[in-house]
Amino acid sequence: LSRRSLGAGDVKLAGALGAVLGAVSWVALPVAAAIAAVVTVALAVVRRSTGGVPHGPGLLAAASLVAVFPGTGGEVGTGT
């Protein structure tokens, strides 16, 4: 919720990870976004800091998780 939490590095990282996740499947994008938000909130709760928590670690964790375990049914070109 803090403006300091989402910096230019997080925005650049989100673009690159979006390209990777888009190659995995279109469904991977919103799934990874939701997982990244949950991870960032969990980090904020653990830290209990008044300052901002960086969103980059959540983005990386979510993208890694979704890219390694892509699931089924949302792949591009499957004809569904």
Side-chain angles (χ1 to χ4, degrees), residues 22-80:
V24 171
S25 78
W26 289 107
V27 176
L29 294 168
V31 170
I35 293 171
V38 169
V39 170
T40 302
V41 168
L43 286 173
V45 168
V46 168
R47 282 186 64 185
R48 292 189 182 129
S49 65
T50 57
V53 176
H55 193 52
L59 287 172
L60 287 171
S64 299
L65 188 68
V66 172
V68 172
F69 302 107
T72 58
E75 292 81 10
V76 174
T78 58
T80 56

